[in-house]
Amino acid sequence: MLFDMKYIRSFFILLFILLTAAVSAQSDFPRDTSFTLNSAYQKDRKKFPDIRTVTEYKGDDIRTQKNILYKEIGDRKLLLDIYAPAKQDRKYPCVIMIHGGGWRSGDKDMMAGFASNLSLRGYVVLSVGYRLSLEAKYPAAVHDLEDAIVWARKHADQYQIDKRKIVTLGTSSGGQLASLLGTNTYSDRRKQVQATVNIDGILAFHHPESAEGEVAALWLGGKYEEVPKIWEQASALYQVSKRTAPVLFLNSSFPRFHAGREDMILKLKKYGTDTEVCTFDPSPHTFWFYEPWFTPMLEKIDHFLNRVL
């Protein structure tokens, strides 16, 4: 018995060492933790004292799996969380959910309330972690999210994903990324999506309506005067074509967060691409975290996706 306990003890010590090493490897890159669900709430409740933060749904009618590996870059592991309907009798549209944070902060965990409640309406939601600007400049985040889309199609049978119905959905800087991915400038069909939901994300970095400066420059690798082609390349407005997916724009009452939207709508209409706009006014920029805007927002998303997919 003592002999057995000795080896059991050694096993747990080794396991602890391996887990510690894994955590250390994941922490070995610069992080900006300034944007969190709590920091947003503390700011927004000053102007909107009656807001209620939406919490993660944990009922039996959805299946949740967190921190699933979808990509490795050397020792760096990129993870995603899956929220899926519990019933596995059919295929479901898949939503690639992209958090915001000015391309340098935020994380997938802050989207748990949004993702879980959206899944209840019949979607497989992948809340995706990706490299931010302190770790890697543009287009690293775009490549990570492209790989998440490919991963979703590769694992479609395992998670009851309908490969014909892939959606990018993002908030703030995540909305910018969602729209850029939705322009479908890919010859590789595995990376193409069928709809986009842009929640208060800009469509153009260099535009009369845009107020982007240092934060955008950090991610894009320089100011507009230094790298103008990259600023334009990263702007969904300038990538619109007949292949661009239908877009739902959901906006707060702050115009700077939808810079280029009206110009993009004109381009989409030129190609006959379906588009819809809903503005929640008044509302804070991060309205997607709170009631009374959350439920009406979900209804808009569900109605739009059921119509275009």
Side-chain angles (χ1 to χ4, degrees):
M1 185 66 178
L2 291 175
F3 179 81
D4 291 341
M5 288 301 297
K6 174 183 176 182
Y7 280 92
I8 291 172
R9 191 178 297 110
S10 298
F11 168 77
F12 280 107
I13 291 172
L14 178 61
L15 180 61
F16 175 77
I17 292 171
L18 290 173
L19 288 173
T20 301
V23 171
S24 297
Q26 282 296 288
S27 301
D28 192 24
F29 60 90
R31 297 173 184 252
D32 177 347
T33 59
S34 61
F35 179 55
T36 65
L37 183 54
N38 184 60
S39 69
Y41 174 73
Q42 295 303 328
K43 175 184 176 182
D44 293 333
R45 72 172 184 166
K46 294 175 182 177
K47 187 173 181 180
F48 299 93
D50 296 328
I51 59 175
R52 304 184 308 280
T53 302
V54 176
T55 58
E56 180 179 355
Y57 178 83
K58 296 184 178 181
D60 293 336
D61 35 0
I62 68 168
R63 297 174 292 138
T64 302
Q65 292 179 260
K66 297 193 175 184
N67 296 322
I68 296 175
L69 178 70
Y70 77 91
K71 180 177 180 178
E72 287 186 89
I73 308 157
D75 293 333
R76 178 72 160 98
K77 293 177 171 56
L78 293 173
L79 311 174
L80 55 79
D81 299 335
I82 299 180
Y83 304 83
K87 288 186 178 180
Q88 302 180 42
D89 55 344
R90 64 183 179 90
K91 301 285 188 179
Y92 298 94
C94 177
V95 176
I96 307 296
M97 185 169 283
I98 309 166
H99 70 80
W103 306 278
R104 64 171 286 159
S105 189
D107 59 58
K108 63 180 177 59
D109 299 335
M110 66 198 308
M111 305 301 286
F114 194 161
S116 57
N117 283 279
L118 180 58
S119 179
L120 276 173
R121 293 179 175 249
Y123 300 92
V124 176
V125 182
L126 309 186
S127 183
V128 182
Y130 58 95
R131 287 173 291 168
L132 301 172
S133 61
L134 294 184
E135 180 182 3
K137 307 304 180 191
Y138 171 89
V142 178
H143 292 162
D144 295 342
L145 294 164
E146 290 169 355
D147 289 335
I149 294 169
V150 173
W151 186 94
R153 284 202 163 90
K154 183 178 179 180
H155 295 84
D157 292 339
Q158 183 178 353
Y159 294 105
Q160 282 67 54
I161 291 172
D162 187 338
K163 292 188 286 187
R164 303 166 302 168
K165 299 178 179 181
I166 306 293
V167 180
T168 50
L169 179 154
T171 58
S172 194
S173 56
Q176 176 271 325
L177 284 161
S179 289
L180 185 61
L181 291 162
T183 58
N184 284 336
T185 57
Y186 308 108
S187 57
D188 185 347
R189 291 188 176 182
R190 298 175 305 162
K191 299 178 181 179
Q192 294 180 359
V193 302
Q194 285 67 57
T196 291
V197 179
N198 179 325
I199 304 176
D200 240 18
I202 67 167
L203 288 310
F205 285 96
H206 185 67
H207 187 275
E209 299 168 353
S210 179
E212 299 303 328
E214 291 183 7
V215 175
L218 176 65
W219 184 52
L220 298 173
K223 298 178 181 178
Y224 175 75
E225 294 76 16
E226 298 168 331
V227 286
K229 290 184 178 179
I230 292 179
W231 279 59
E232 293 179 5
Q233 184 185 79
S235 300
L237 172 62
Y238 307 127
Q239 310 304 322
V240 175
S241 72
K242 63 181 180 181
R243 295 198 300 186
T244 298
V247 187
L248 170 62
F249 297 100
L250 297 171
N251 294 119
S252 69
S253 49
F254 294 90
R256 64 173 286 246
F257 292 110
H258 47 77
R261 185 190 67 189
E262 298 308 311
D263 289 342
M264 185 163 173
I265 289 172
L266 289 175
K267 285 190 174 185
L268 292 170
K269 288 182 176 180
K270 173 185 174 183
Y271 292 112
T273 304
D274 205 325
T275 183
E276 189 176 324
V277 179
C278 177
T279 300
F280 296 95
D281 187 9
S283 67
H285 170 48
T286 53
F287 67 89
W288 58 88
F289 286 141
Y290 318 115
E291 294 288 11
W293 306 283
F294 183 76
T295 297
M297 178 191 70
L298 278 191
E299 291 173 354
K300 287 287 184 182
I301 293 170
D302 195 25
H303 181 268
F304 178 79
L305 294 181
N306 280 324
R307 181 164 60 80
V308 302
L309 291 178

